[in-house]
Amino acid sequence: MTQFQFRNRVNAFFKSVREDIAAVQRNDPAATSKLTVLVNYSGLHAIWMHRVANRLWRTGWGQFPARVLSQIARALTGVEIHPGATIGRRFVIDHGMGVVIGETAIVGDDVMMYHGVTLGGISTKRVKRHPTIGDRVMIGAGAKLLGPIEIGSDSKVGANAVVTKSAPAGAILVGIPARNRAESASDETASAESALTETEPADSATAGATGTADSTSA
């Protein structure tokens, strides 16, 4: 590695750290200062340790130390992220305790995740078996997302929801099993509009009959 390449990597590292701290401050009103975030936010510490473990994992020869590092991170932070998982930029884990992210999980940019969340697998085969999360997704406390499903960008997953099916962008997933409330709301609106359209001819006919009766009376 040349000195120029080394300098670029160092700059990229510190840029990433600044982005992460800013993301926490943007999403958590309790994050009153950069120092508070740097020292006290275990979710952020887990993400930083994962980035090191992931780099080791991708070398091939470093998979064993990567697993060791991920277990150290789990012991220190309460967050277990498999070193093979792909994590995007500005990922925020609030509170952190009890979060589990599996090996083939993919998490997009600007994702907000609360404590107790599981991105888990439902297969014992060495295939893509964990969820793919789009950008700007919010996942509430205790939510379980299972299997190789895809959650579209800008979606929200409610606390304690159990999600086993893919969802489009902008979904609002709640319940056990989770249902898309945004889709349900659209269906209800469409039904209401359809009902209104169907009643308009009847209303016109009634108005016409009333007008004829008035003319006869006159």
Side-chain angles (χ1 to χ4, degrees):
M1 181 189 300
T2 66
Q3 184 177 0
F4 178 75
Q5 290 174 323
F6 177 76
R7 186 182 299 115
N8 281 344
R9 288 192 177 184
V10 170
N11 290 338
F13 170 77
F14 283 108
K15 179 183 178 182
S16 175
V17 169
R18 289 193 296 269
E19 280 188 346
D20 290 336
I21 292 174
V24 172
Q25 290 188 293
R26 186 166 57 251
N27 287 281
D28 185 2
T32 54
S33 71
K34 291 181 175 61
L35 181 61
T36 295
V37 175
L38 184 65
V39 174
N40 297 315
Y41 277 69
S42 58
L44 197 52
H45 301 157
I47 292 168
W48 288 340
M49 294 179 76
H50 167 74
R51 288 187 180 146
V52 176
N54 180 253
R55 184 174 290 275
L56 287 171
W57 181 267
R58 287 187 284 112
T59 64
W61 59 264
Q63 292 192 353
F64 178 74
R67 290 301 299 268
V68 172
L69 181 57
S70 72
Q71 291 304 299
I72 293 172
R74 176 190 180 190
L76 293 175
T77 67
V79 176
E80 182 176 347
I81 308 176
H82 191 285
T86 301
I87 304 297
R89 296 169 61 185
R90 299 177 296 275
F91 179 37
V92 176
I93 302 177
D94 197 10
H95 299 295
M97 184 63 67
V99 167
V100 177
I101 300 177
E103 177 186 5
T104 62
I106 300 173
V107 178
D109 296 336
D110 300 298
V111 171
M112 179 75 176
M113 183 180 291
Y114 290 87
H115 53 282
V117 169
T118 297
L119 303 184
I122 55 175
S123 173
T124 57
K125 297 179 180 179
R126 294 193 63 80
V127 294
K128 176 71 168 83
R129 58 192 184 278
H130 299 93
T132 296
I133 310 299
D135 299 335
R136 300 174 300 280
V137 174
M138 189 281 288
I139 306 177
K144 314 300 179 196
L145 292 81
L146 306 174
I149 59 176
E150 296 185 7
I151 306 301
S153 298
D154 301 298
S155 295
K156 292 180 173 59
V157 181
N160 296 315
V162 178
V163 185
T164 57
K165 295 181 180 180
S166 296
I172 301 174
L173 304 170
V174 296
I176 304 174
R179 294 184 178 182
N180 186 358
R181 288 289 298 276
E183 196 172 74
S184 300
S186 298
D187 291 342
E188 290 174 4
T189 301
S191 297
E193 290 176 350
S194 177
L196 181 61
T197 302
E198 289 172 0
T199 58
E200 283 177 355
D203 292 342
S204 299
T206 302
T210 303
T212 302
D214 290 344
S215 298
T216 304
S217 299

